[in-house]
Amino acid sequence: MTTTRWIAAGVVLLGATFWVGCGDSSRADGRATAAARLIDKGLLSDQTAYQPAGGGSGGGSGDAESQVRDRIAGLIAALDDGDVIPVVQAFGGRAEELEEVLVNQRSVQELLERVLADTFDETAVERIRSAPIQDFRTQQSVEVVDADRVDVTPNLFGRIVLGSRAPEVMTFVQEDGEWFIQLDELSPDDIEQISEYHKNLNDGMNTIAEAVEDQEIETLLGVLWVWEQIRAGEAPDIDQADAAAAAGAKKDGADEDEPDEPRDIRKPIRP
């Protein structure tokens, strides 16, 4: 129980340095870039195929889309590695009020991951990290508004940082050749509610770690079921976790036309 006691006792608050403008793309002269955006509007039926003369990081909707997709891929790779800091930095310092909250949460999750790795294996850690982004991998939609603005749904990174306060659309804007996630000014009430959201997640991870160590949850499916409930803001029944997870997995994997009893495939089914 030592690991869980560390969690319950509190988490060491770490510092995180925010920086902006880390990319290697360069922009053309301001006047040339502005002129390029006015050229050929409507000349091509497929604007994604258009590249203005001189190129540059601000040119063409297709260019903007590819850059934002690359940016997203890099942030997801960071999450897969368990690093939330690049996601916070993607807001360009506008989420710095949440810096301590997010770093605190990451340290709590590291302790949970240690419990899962010791009890199960590293696969459990990978599954916990990837759970929040599974839907985003399959449902990602990218819409180019203009050369400096791209809308993406669902708002994966907003949900991770802002919780229920995140808007439905995640808007990337280009500033000085870098793509950042747009974030409106956060009010004190916003900060309080977002902090409460992350506190609940931390408490939930504490609950999972204790339940795994006490063998109240014995399967990885049970862990993932509880984690999903917690992220949805619900209070899961730990005693029912393994059974509920197994039932859900059976339902998701079962064919509706499949008979309840195994059938000898050599014998045809009679009408």
Side-chain angles (χ1 to χ4, degrees):
M1 296 293 293
T2 57
T3 301
T4 306
R5 296 300 172 253
W6 293 342
I7 300 174
V11 182
V12 177
L13 298 180
L14 305 177
T17 302
F18 282 79
W19 45 268
V20 181
C22 56
D24 58 2
S25 60
S26 61
R27 304 183 82 177
D29 176 85
R31 289 174 298 176
T33 302
R37 292 174 191 162
L38 297 176
I39 294 175
D40 294 351
K41 200 69 173 179
L43 286 181
L44 297 177
S45 58
D46 181 7
Q47 284 293 315
T48 62
Y50 171 67
Q51 293 293 331
S57 60
S61 59
D63 192 35
E65 178 176 348
S66 64
Q67 289 177 24
V68 168
R69 287 189 182 275
D70 287 345
R71 183 82 161 107
I72 291 171
L75 294 174
I76 289 181
L79 292 177
D80 283 337
D81 289 338
D83 188 2
V84 73
I85 297 305
V87 174
V88 182
Q89 292 173 338
F91 289 89
R94 297 177 181 87
E96 59 186 2
E97 300 98 328
L98 302 172
E99 170 186 345
E100 186 176 289
V101 173
L102 269 294
V103 175
N104 184 19
Q105 179 175 311
R106 178 60 205 141
S107 58
V108 173
Q109 186 165 334
E110 286 175 349
L111 293 173
L112 170 61
E113 290 174 355
R114 191 179 308 167
V115 171
L116 296 181
D118 290 344
T119 305
F120 303 103
D121 54 31
E122 290 298 327
T123 301
V125 175
E126 295 173 3
R127 296 283 297 277
I128 280 287
R129 290 178 181 176
S130 64
I133 59 181
Q134 287 306 310
D135 290 343
F136 184 77
R137 291 186 194 275
T138 58
Q139 300 174 16
Q140 182 184 141
S141 173
V142 178
E143 179 182 355
V144 177
V145 179
D146 57 41
D148 291 321
R149 182 184 177 92
V150 177
D151 289 343
V152 180
T153 54
N155 190 354
L156 169 65
F157 306 125
R159 291 175 186 172
I160 290 174
V161 175
L162 308 175
S164 61
R165 309 293 284 184
E168 290 298 318
V169 178
M170 176 170 57
T171 298
F172 282 82
V173 293
Q174 188 172 207
E175 300 175 2
D176 298 326
E178 285 295 309
W179 289 96
F180 295 102
I181 302 172
Q182 182 173 289
L183 178 63
D184 295 333
E185 183 177 354
L186 297 173
S187 69
D189 182 60
D190 290 331
I191 297 296
E192 182 178 351
Q193 292 193 36
I194 294 168
S195 297
E196 183 66 21
Y197 165 77
H198 288 289
K199 179 182 181 299
N200 290 337
L201 285 184
N202 290 352
D203 291 344
M205 286 188 282
N206 288 339
T207 298
I208 294 175
E210 290 185 357
V212 169
E213 287 191 322
D214 292 343
Q215 298 184 346
E216 294 175 317
I217 303 177
E218 298 183 344
T219 67
L220 178 54
L221 280 178
V223 169
L224 294 171
W225 181 83
V226 173
W227 183 224
E228 182 178 349
Q229 300 293 308
I230 290 171
R231 287 191 299 109
E234 301 176 10
D237 185 348
I238 298 298
D239 292 337
Q240 299 298 318
D242 290 324
K250 182 178 180 181
K251 180 179 179 181
D252 291 341
D255 187 334
E256 294 181 353
D257 297 328
E258 184 178 350
D260 293 334
E261 297 296 330
R263 169 175 74 85
D264 188 338
I265 61 174
R266 294 170 297 181
K267 299 178 180 178
I269 299 177
R270 296 190 179 187

